[in-house]
Amino acid sequence: MAGILFIISAPSGSGKSTLVSEVRKQLTGIEFSVSWTTRAPRGSEQDGREYHFTTRDEFERMRDAGEFLEYAEVFGNYYGTARRSLEAAAASGRDMLLDIDVQGAAQVRKAMPEAVSIFVLPPNPKVLRTRLRNRSRAEGHINESVLYLRLSEASNEIENYRDYGYILVNDVLDRTVAQLEAIILSERYYRCGQEIPLRATRVLEIAAACKQANSRERLQPVLEAFGIENPSGQQFLNFEEDTDDD
Ligand code: ADP
Ligand code: 5GP
């Protein structure tokens, strides 16, 4: 049987890579797709580990040859998931997790409607800004224009939360890691076709609370902070740095 396909998306700086790398340490039986990108490596990133780094020419050649399941241009660079990454996981029956943007996620959902999609939100714009800054600092330099681009896209990206089955608000890291693990485990339980053991009850409860349909209360303050679904219709964003969040 083919494994489960998980898609995870988030505005840049929300903590998606951190969550994925924590879950990698805890769960077995799941592959993590290494995307192709034309952006330059950041900090300690290594070719073949975080991404396959490539040129625009080579990316376009692969795209034209139909080698990508999905691809998108994000912040001026191409990003894409190679079909062969998925085929290898499917052949072995392992689950697969794709860390892709909202445009890529829409393409994958169309081709594979059975995919499980998870959207990660930062608690508010100030925290997002602080996280992006801290990450840049840790990588050795702060590029203000890159930072601005990523922050200004956040609200647009967040609007897409409606298309995702599960919503995570990445406030306290340990809690969000536990929620992501619970989602993966509960989807495995539901799809294995066997009776779900009693010891799984807590995991199922945690995952159920993260379903979009059950997320209204957690979601509302985040949407308001990002100026989305604001009852007054005002788009008022405050990206001032939150010094408490270091
Ligand atoms: P993304 O992959 O979504 O762009 P990262 O995983 O690179 O984001 O996280 C951005 C920054 O925020 C990193 O410096 C990371 O250590 C930090 N971070 C991630 N999650 C949390 C959290 N829950 N609390 C505090 N800092 C976090
Ligand atoms: P970053 O440059 O911060 O690593 O990633 C920027 C954005 O590109 C993130 O939203 C990330 O999820 C997305 N991304 C990474 N790999 C892929 C991919 O293969 N396809 C698509 N569509 N987006 C990707």
Side-chain angles (χ1 to χ4, degrees):
M1 191 183 86
I4 306 169
L5 181 63
F6 295 92
I7 304 170
I8 184 163
S9 304
S12 180
S14 305
K16 179 167 37 91
S17 313
T18 308
L19 291 169
V20 168
S21 95
E22 288 303 313
V23 168
R24 278 184 101 141
K25 293 179 200 157
Q26 312 286 341
L27 291 187
T28 55
I30 184 159
E31 301 266 312
F32 297 82
S33 165
V34 178
S35 297
W36 291 75
T37 185
T38 58
R39 89 149 158 74
R42 216 163 49 198
S44 59
E45 287 180 339
Q46 280 175 25
D47 189 26
R49 193 178 65 183
E50 285 80 7
Y51 284 105
H52 298 290
F53 295 99
T54 189
T55 60
R56 278 186 93 82
D57 281 353
E58 175 59 8
F59 194 102
E60 284 169 359
R61 187 205 59 74
M62 290 175 72
R63 177 197 63 190
D64 295 344
E67 292 184 29
F68 291 119
L69 168 72
E70 64 73 34
Y71 74 93
E73 192 156 2
V74 190
F75 310 126
N77 288 300
Y78 284 131
Y79 294 81
T81 306
R83 288 183 194 282
R84 62 172 181 267
S85 308
L86 248 77
E87 285 160 5
S92 66
R94 285 193 296 270
D95 298 337
M96 181 87 181
L97 191 144
L98 305 182
D99 164 350
I100 57 179
D101 88 314
V102 293
Q103 307 168 73
Q107 295 170 44
V108 175
R109 262 196 303 268
K110 202 166 167 197
M112 297 169 177
E114 72 286 1
V116 176
S117 60
I118 305 157
F119 197 81
V120 181
L121 291 148
N124 58 54
K126 286 185 186 176
V127 168
L128 181 61
R129 182 185 158 116
T130 304
R131 286 187 189 163
L132 279 168
R133 272 193 174 273
N134 288 349
R135 183 172 73 188
S136 297
R137 247 183 235 128
E139 285 163 357
H141 74 290
I142 298 179
N143 183 330
E144 290 296 339
S145 60
V146 169
L147 208 76
Y148 178 79
L149 191 62
R150 287 174 182 243
L151 279 170
S152 52
E153 260 309 302
S155 301
N156 288 338
E157 289 174 315
I158 290 174
E159 295 266 8
N160 292 279
Y161 80 88
R162 296 177 186 85
D163 299 328
Y164 289 73
Y166 290 96
I167 307 288
L168 297 179
V169 179
N170 182 21
D171 196 344
V172 179
L173 185 63
D174 289 352
R175 189 173 57 205
T176 321
V177 170
Q179 290 170 334
L180 181 53
E181 283 173 12
I183 292 168
I184 294 169
L185 293 173
S186 75
E187 288 290 337
R188 283 180 180 172
Y189 282 128
Y190 287 131
R191 294 181 193 214
C192 75
Q194 289 164 16
E195 198 176 330
I196 299 179
L198 210 58
R199 66 183 154 72
T201 308
R202 185 71 195 123
V203 160
L204 298 185
E205 280 171 3
I206 295 172
C210 297
K211 289 206 163 156
Q212 193 201 130
N214 302 329
S215 297
R216 184 111 205 115
E217 230 169 86
R218 288 179 305 126
L219 203 50
Q220 195 58 32
V222 183
L223 297 179
E224 279 174 16
F226 279 94
I228 299 163
E229 284 189 352
N230 181 336
S232 69
Q234 275 183 314
Q235 292 286 309
F236 181 70
L237 300 186
N238 183 356
F239 284 122
E240 270 172 41
E241 197 157 349
D242 184 349
T243 45
D244 299 337
D245 192 53
D246 283 357

